[in-house]
């Protein structure tokens, strides 16, 4: 499946955007190191990853701080090599208990198809034990990682909603950051 990955490094003049290859990325540490190489001093670096029509992710690295991660669809991402690097880390950090409210977070985004958090819970009861624990359906991670750059958590969650196109979502995020044209130039 085709992937797109870009590194956005915050500079004094705005964002420096470059497409990147993920061929050598096997762990979150590899991805974090790749991002830090693009940073000026301790400035913020974002990594956008998209698998066509399936999911997108944003990874934020601030200096030596631990990376912050948002994935639009954990279940879809967990089925891909690069996505599983991110989802495995998030699941390990949060544990299964934090996914109990996932349906509630996404319920507002599911209004188009009439699904509700209660409907989803009924379906969960029918699944074999542990089938969703490894890969929850819907967004996962830190939805507030872009708030200081003008992208509210609710807006990011909406872009991750059902029926959203991952490529379009990354374009809208880049527009909110003020680097939409630059990102589009490397696509």
């Amino acid at each position: 499946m085709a992937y797109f990955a870009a590194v956005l490094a915050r500079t004094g003049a705005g964002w420096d955007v470059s497409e990147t290859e993920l061929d050598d990325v096997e762990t979150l540490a590899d991805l974090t190191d790749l991002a830090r190489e693009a940073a000026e001093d301790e400035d913020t670096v974002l990594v956008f990853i998209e698998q066509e029509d399936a999911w997108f992710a944003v990874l934020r690295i601030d200096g030596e701080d631990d990376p912050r991660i948002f994935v639009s669809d954990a279940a879809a991402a967990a089925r891909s090599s690069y996505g599983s690097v991110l989802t495995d880390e998030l699941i390990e950090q949060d544990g299964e208990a934090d996914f109990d409210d996932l349906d509630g977070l996404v319920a507002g985004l599911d209004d188009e198809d009439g699904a509700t958090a209660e409907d989803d819970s009924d379906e969960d009861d029918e699944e074999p034990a542990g089938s969703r624990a490894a890969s929850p359906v819907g967004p996962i991670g830190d939805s507030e990682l872009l708030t200081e750059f003008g992208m509210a958590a609710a807006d990011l969650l909406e872009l991750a909603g059902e029926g959203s196109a991952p490529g379009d979502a990354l374009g809208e995020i880049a527009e909110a950051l003020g680097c939409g044209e630059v990102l589009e130039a490397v696509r």
Side-chain angles (χ1 to χ4, degrees):
M1 295 187 188
Y3 289 91
F4 168 75
V7 175
L8 294 81
R10 181 95 167 156
T11 67
W15 293 96
D16 181 27
V17 180
S18 60
E19 187 173 6
T20 190
E21 293 294 323
L22 300 177
D23 295 339
D24 296 330
V25 172
E26 295 180 11
T27 66
L28 180 59
D30 294 340
L31 187 56
T32 303
D33 290 344
L34 177 74
R36 285 189 176 124
E37 289 173 9
E40 287 184 11
D41 302 318
E42 298 284 315
D43 289 334
T44 299
V45 178
L46 302 175
V47 179
F48 285 1
I49 303 172
E50 169 203 347
Q51 182 181 1
E52 62 185 36
D53 298 326
W55 59 274
F56 72 87
V58 178
L59 177 76
R60 176 178 174 171
I61 295 98
D62 294 300
E64 293 299 317
D65 292 346
D66 288 339
R68 296 168 64 186
I69 305 165
F70 177 81
V71 178
S72 66
D73 186 338
R79 291 187 296 266
S80 71
S81 59
Y82 301 124
S84 66
V85 166
L86 303 173
T87 58
D88 290 351
E89 178 69 20
L90 289 168
I91 290 169
E92 184 178 310
Q93 286 176 3
D94 293 337
E96 291 178 34
D98 289 350
F99 298 120
D100 292 341
D101 294 331
L102 183 62
D103 292 326
L105 292 173
V106 187
L109 302 174
D110 289 338
D111 289 338
E112 291 176 21
D113 66 3
T116 64
E118 186 176 302
D119 293 340
D120 291 344
S121 296
D122 293 341
E123 291 172 14
D124 292 345
D125 293 340
E126 298 169 11
E127 293 180 23
S131 64
R132 278 191 53 182
S135 56
V137 175
I140 185 174
D142 184 353
S143 61
E144 296 180 351
L145 79 165
L146 300 174
T147 55
E148 74 182 70
F149 302 118
M151 173 65 65
D155 295 336
L156 186 58
L157 288 169
E158 185 176 334
L159 290 173
E162 187 174 323
S164 298
D168 293 343
L170 289 181
E172 288 187 43
I173 293 168
E175 286 295 326
L177 298 174
C179 61
E181 290 179 16
V182 181
L183 179 66
E184 196 57 39
V186 300
R187 285 186 148 247

